Amino acid sequence: MEKAQVYFSDFRTKAFGDSMPTKLKKLIKAAGIGEIDLDGKFAAIKLHFGELGNISYLRPNYARAVVDVVKEFGGKPFLTDCNTLYPGSRKNALEHLECAWENGFTALTAGCPILIGDGLKGTDDVEVPVPGGEYIDKALIGRAIMDADVFISLTHFKGHEMTGFGGTIKNIGMGCGSRAGKMHQHNNGQATIHEDRCRGCRICQRECANDALVFDAASRKMHVDLGKCVGCGRCLGSCNFDAIEFVNGNAVEILNYRMAEYTKAVVTGRPQFHISLVVDVSPNCDCHGENDAPILPNIGMFASFDPLALDQACADACLAATPLPNSQLSDNLLKPQFIDHHDHFVNSTPESEWRSCLSHAEKIGLGTREYDLIRV
Ligand code: SF4
Ligand code: SF4
């Protein structure tokens, strides 16, 4: 496969010069978004509206910049995401829309409608075959997303408690899955509690939508009801004492494989374009109702027709950056006997793993990890 082209702009601006949204518009035009036949076409712009309480998600101004460009080329854009598996503010379309509005995404600010891809209760999905899939036969993708003529992803690139980083493949693969689709990807392991580390704080219980975390008042330890645990992984990032782990040793790898295959299902057979902003690189996903201090500096905006090359380019840029002090990453590096993995994502969350996602994505033909970086 030929090298992909990944376009890049940093976040520097000059006084009275281009604004950040203007830089983003210039970047995506330089990267060739106008080569897509957008005229009269429905264009799904997949992004994450941020969980309520989280403020590291991408600002609506960036979405507006993409919407404006799509409209300039005659497209009919809409912003979209699918409902979540876990309790929180985005588990059905009504709450999801209210969350989006509260976080600043409205028809006025975005310049286009917002559609929740898998409908009111997260059940409006389509079975989509996965060309070359090894783990997924048919992916369950939000119907509105599959109905769109053109697919555009707009990703906040940041850390992730399971997959090392949340980038373009995660935004597409996991994000476009309906609730059943998300379950389909996650269901490959179960949580286990290390009683010696559990302090009985019960914080993890707030994260479990399945009542699978049971507190034993006598021992003051948490337990997992394996009959109820669906392996969604939501509780993993909630424990400040590293007391929760997955039983299945390769659960994260399998999750990564499935995510890559879901991404292939979403993008195959129609025009696609991808944008990823490495900014406010919090250690955990924007699905959290909080965001810890960034682990890495703001690096820039990336755009490409190749979702895999885009993730690789963003990851490479992050790995070359210097960790920020007073962050989860720098705190870990200062711990006595901490094993340095020479990988900022794994050093930030040692249980996480991301390379298997990119290698599997390449294996199934999602794109290439080889790219030329073109500065705009
Ligand atoms: S968050 Fe961790 S320490 Fe607190 S109850 Fe859950 S497993 Fe135990
Ligand atoms: S992994 Fe299991 S225990 Fe943890 S939040 Fe998901 S369903 Fe609940």
Side-chain angles (χ1 to χ4, degrees):
M1 192 180 259
E2 274 182 29
K3 275 187 179 179
Q5 295 188 322
V6 176
Y7 288 72
F8 169 77
S9 280
D10 62 24
F11 283 120
R12 301 301 306 272
T13 62
K14 292 192 171 65
F16 311 112
D18 283 343
S19 68
M20 223 63 90
T22 301
K23 285 191 77 164
L24 180 57
K25 287 182 186 180
K26 287 185 174 176
L27 174 77
I28 63 177
K29 286 182 180 175
I33 194 170
E35 292 166 20
I36 298 173
D37 177 12
L38 283 159
D39 196 21
K41 304 291 192 302
F42 291 115
I45 302 174
K46 166 67 181 77
L47 76 172
H48 191 308
F49 299 115
E51 190 68 25
L52 284 183
N54 185 298
I55 54 168
S56 63
Y57 62 88
L58 286 186
R59 292 181 187 201
N61 313 61
Y62 292 117
R64 178 60 184 255
V66 180
V67 166
D68 285 349
V69 171
V70 170
K71 283 181 167 177
E72 201 180 313
F73 289 109
K76 297 173 184 291
F78 63 94
L79 303 188
T80 190
D81 196 0
C82 288
N83 292 306
T84 59
L85 263 184
Y86 43 80
S89 51
R90 297 174 305 122
K91 58 188 176 295
N92 61 60
L94 296 189
E95 292 178 27
H96 206 154
L97 282 172
E98 283 176 5
C99 171
W101 297 335
E102 209 166 314
N103 280 347
F105 296 89
T106 65
L108 184 66
T109 58
C112 70
I114 301 171
L115 293 180
I116 301 306
D118 58 346
L120 181 63
K121 295 184 179 178
T123 54
D124 189 15
D125 54 23
V126 192
E127 283 190 359
V128 186
V130 182
E134 296 176 9
Y135 294 82
I136 302 287
D137 182 21
K138 290 194 173 110
L140 299 168
I141 309 294
R143 185 178 299 276
I145 292 173
M146 289 316 296
D147 280 349
D149 305 304
V150 175
F151 179 81
I152 298 169
S153 67
L154 173 61
T155 299
H156 173 217
F157 192 97
K158 69 281 171 193
H160 192 277
E161 56 275 23
M162 289 183 85
T163 57
F165 60 77
T168 295
I169 292 175
K170 182 145 201 320
N171 181 26
I172 302 173
M174 186 58 69
C176 294
S178 63
R179 295 193 81 199
K182 289 185 171 77
M183 180 81 79
H184 196 191
Q185 292 173 78
H186 271 299
N187 192 7
N188 46 55
Q190 287 184 306
T192 187
I193 306 284
H194 291 278
E195 287 199 8
D196 53 329
R197 294 182 214 154
C198 176
R199 311 267 185 102
C201 69
R202 307 182 69 165
I203 287 174
C204 53
Q205 270 184 321
R206 295 183 209 156
E207 303 296 333
C208 183
N210 304 290
D211 294 327
L213 290 167
V214 182
F215 185 64
D216 179 40
S219 65
R220 300 205 58 74
K221 302 288 181 188
M222 195 60 67
H223 295 278
V224 179
D225 182 339
L226 296 178
K228 290 183 177 171
C229 175
V230 298
C232 69
R234 176 69 183 175
C235 56
L236 262 183
S238 68
C239 182
N240 290 330
F241 306 103
D242 298 331
I244 308 179
E245 272 186 3
F246 258 57
V247 177
N248 182 351
N250 65 350
V252 178
E253 281 84 351
I254 296 172
L255 170 67
N256 278 335
Y257 301 152
R258 291 180 177 173
M259 235 164 45
E261 296 195 4
Y262 260 68
T263 303
K264 185 101 187 282
V266 173
V267 300
T268 299
R270 59 181 164 164
Q272 55 172 307
F273 188 82
H274 308 285
I275 307 153
S276 187
L277 274 62
V278 186
V279 59
D280 297 328
V281 187
S282 48
N284 295 328
C285 183
D286 293 345
C287 298
H288 281 242
E290 86 296 322
N291 54 285
D292 193 9
I295 57 173
L296 297 169
N298 294 345
I299 292 175
M301 319 169 181
F302 297 73
S304 180
F305 284 100
D306 186 321
L308 173 56
L310 194 59
D311 263 354
Q312 185 69 59
C314 291
D316 288 344
C318 285
L319 294 179
T322 304
L324 288 176
N326 192 27
S327 67
Q328 177 171 298
L329 172 57
S330 58
D331 285 355
N332 281 348
L333 290 169
L334 290 173
K335 284 178 184 166
Q337 276 115 38
F338 182 76
I339 297 168
D340 186 350
H341 299 273
H342 303 287
D343 178 319
H344 296 331
F345 303 113
V346 181
N347 279 344
S348 177
T349 308
E351 302 79 28
S352 70
E353 201 285 316
W354 58 271
R355 292 174 193 274
S356 58
C357 178
L358 302 198
S359 56
H360 189 67
E362 186 162 55
K363 184 179 173 194
I364 62 170
L366 179 64
T368 174
R369 300 175 73 176
E370 300 292 320
Y371 62 91
D372 290 320
L373 194 67
I374 299 152
R375 288 176 181 270
V376 176

